[in-house]
Amino acid sequence: VQDGGFTPGLSWLRCGSAEQALHVLDQACGNLFYAETNMNRASSRSHAIFQLRVTRRQLEPTGSAATRARICVVDLAGSERVKKSGVKGKHFQEAMAINRSLLALGNVINALAAKRSHVPFRNSKLTRILDGSIGGKCRTALLVCVSPDAVHMLETICSLEFAARAMCIEGDSKVNRSGSVRQGSSPRVERDLKHSLKRVQEKVARLEQSLGAAEGEAADLQQALVHAEVRAEQFQALAEARSEEAQHESCRARHAEECAFAAAASLQTVRQDSAEQKRALEAHLSLLQTEMNSMRLEWAVRTAVQQDDCHARVRCNRLHGPMHWQKP
C-alpha cells in the first residue's frame, strides 16, 4: 500500500454514468465472503473497500485547474470474541486478523482525536488504505451497527465508544485542485525553493527513520499482544474445561452421596425388619419352649401315672395270686 491509500494492482474501471458505477459496485459486492458463526449467520470474514475516483474538468480548455476527489466506501467486519463466535481453524485466523486491523484503526482514531503528533497509519494495511479518508482535508461519515440484545451488550458498548471517539476527530475539508506551474519565476525563488525542499526531504528522511524504528517496536508490541490474546483465550478455554470437570465431579459426588443416603436408609429399614423378625422368632421360640415344657410335664405326669398303675397291678396280683399249700 502506497502513501495516500493507493493500492497498486487493483482493477480500475472507467465509468461514464452513475448506473455503470452502481453496476461495478454490485460486481465488487459479489467478491465478498461470508461464513456462519454462533453470533451471525452471515458474518463478513474480511473488510471490504470500494474506491471511486472522480475528476472534474471544464469542457472547454480554459487553463483552469481540475478538481479531483476520491470516495472510499468501507464495510468493516465486526470485531468478534472467539469465545462467543465459536470459530475454529481458518475462520479463527480470519477473526484474529480482523481484530488486529480494528485495533490498529482504533489506535489511529485515538491519536487523531487526541491530536497527537504521530498517527500510526502504517501499523496495518487497513489504516494505510484509509490514510487519506480519516482526518486531514476530507469528510468522513461513520455508520455504526449495534444490537439491542442484552446478550451482546458488551459489543454494543464498545462499538458506541468507538463511534464517540471518532466524533472527536476534527477535519478541515478542502478542495483538491491541480493546475499548471506558473512560468516566469525568478532564479532566486527557485533556488530558495530547492533549498527548502532539500531541508524538508532530509527532515522527512529522519522522521521516516524514526518512524521505522517506532513501527518496528509497535509491530513487536502488536505481535506480543496477539500472542497474549491467544494465550488468554487458551487459558480461558482451559479454565472453562476445568470448571466443567469440577461441575461433573460435583454432580458425581452429589449422586454418590444420594446413593449412600439411600443405602443407609435401606440398611436402617433392613435392620428394623430384622429386629422385628428377631422379636417374632424369639416370641415363637418362647411359645415353643412353653409348649415343650408343658409336653414334658404332661409326659412326666403320664409316666408317673403309668408307674403308679403298674405298682397297683403288682400289688393286686400279689394279693389275688394262686394259693400254695404249706406242708405241716
Side-chain angles (χ1 to χ4, degrees):
V1 181
Q2 299 177 357
D3 293 336
F6 292 99
T7 305
L10 295 182
S11 299
W12 291 94
L13 302 178
R14 183 178 297 276
C15 300
S17 62
E19 290 76 10
Q20 293 181 1
L22 292 176
H23 179 67
V24 173
L25 180 59
D26 292 337
Q27 291 180 352
C29 291
N31 296 329
L32 298 180
F33 180 73
Y34 299 95
E36 183 177 358
T37 63
N38 295 338
M39 298 178 62
N40 194 354
R41 291 184 178 179
S43 176
S44 301
R45 307 317 301 165
S46 65
H47 305 301
I49 300 177
F50 181 80
Q51 294 183 351
L52 180 64
R53 293 189 301 188
V54 180
T55 303
R56 187 180 66 176
R57 297 185 180 90
Q58 296 292 335
L59 295 179
E60 297 180 0
T62 57
S64 60
T67 303
R68 291 185 174 87
R70 180 163 55 94
I71 303 175
C72 292
V73 181
V74 184
D75 180 17
L76 295 176
S79 176
E80 60 183 37
R81 298 179 63 185
V82 178
K83 178 182 176 182
K84 285 188 175 182
S85 61
V87 293
K88 298 179 180 179
K90 179 181 178 182
H91 296 329
F92 175 79
Q93 300 296 332
E94 293 172 350
M96 297 302 296
I98 291 172
N99 293 338
R100 285 196 299 268
S101 60
L102 291 177
L103 178 62
L105 179 61
N107 294 334
V108 169
I109 290 178
N110 291 336
L112 291 174
K115 297 181 180 180
R116 298 173 186 170
S117 58
H118 172 66
V119 181
F121 281 108
R122 296 176 178 268
N123 287 353
S124 70
K125 293 181 180 180
L126 177 64
T127 54
R128 286 292 303 277
I129 295 175
L130 299 180
D131 187 359
S133 302
I134 304 176
K137 52 181 181 178
C138 65
R139 292 181 179 179
T140 305
L142 178 63
L143 302 179
V144 180
C145 299
V146 296
S147 174
D149 195 349
V151 179
H152 307 302
M153 179 179 63
L154 182 60
E155 288 77 5
T156 300
I157 293 176
C158 292
S159 300
L160 294 178
E161 290 179 351
F162 178 80
R165 290 194 298 270
M167 290 177 60
C168 298
I169 299 176
E170 296 180 0
D172 185 14
S173 59
K174 295 181 180 179
V175 178
N176 297 325
R177 300 181 182 275
S178 60
S180 58
V181 181
R182 295 183 180 181
Q183 301 293 332
S185 299
S186 62
R188 181 179 178 180
V189 173
E190 292 181 359
R191 186 169 54 254
D192 293 340
L193 289 176
K194 289 181 180 179
H195 286 300
S196 300
L197 180 61
K198 185 177 180 180
R199 288 194 299 269
V200 170
Q201 289 177 349
E202 292 176 355
K203 185 176 181 180
V204 167
R206 291 193 300 269
L207 290 176
E208 286 182 351
Q209 186 177 1
S210 302
L211 182 60
E215 287 179 353
E217 295 178 358
D220 295 339
L221 292 176
Q222 188 75 17
Q223 188 175 4
L225 179 60
V226 171
H227 288 305
E229 290 178 353
V230 174
R231 293 293 298 277
E233 294 290 344
Q234 293 176 353
F235 283 126
Q236 189 173 4
L238 182 60
E240 291 177 355
R242 294 290 177 82
S243 177
E244 292 179 358
E245 291 179 359
Q247 291 178 358
H248 290 316
E249 292 295 334
S250 177
C251 292
R252 294 194 192 98
R254 193 179 302 110
H255 181 68
E257 185 178 0
E258 293 176 355
C259 292
F261 284 149
S266 178
L267 182 60
Q268 185 68 22
T269 304
V270 170
R271 286 180 178 176
Q272 293 177 358
D273 294 341
S274 299
E276 293 177 357
Q277 292 178 1
K278 182 179 179 181
R279 286 193 295 269
L281 289 174
E282 288 178 352
H284 185 63
L285 183 60
S286 177
L287 181 60
L288 291 176
Q289 189 71 26
T290 304
E291 291 179 355
M292 186 178 292
N293 292 333
S294 62
M295 291 175 65
R296 287 177 179 174
L297 180 61
E298 184 180 358
W299 177 261
V301 171
R302 287 181 180 180
T303 303
V305 170
Q306 288 178 0
Q307 289 178 358
D308 292 340
D309 190 14
C310 289
H311 289 302
R313 287 179 182 178
V314 170
R315 292 192 192 101
C316 183
N317 289 333
R318 288 179 180 178
L319 292 174
H320 300 285
M323 296 182 67
H324 300 281
W325 295 98
Q326 298 179 358
K327 292 180 178 182

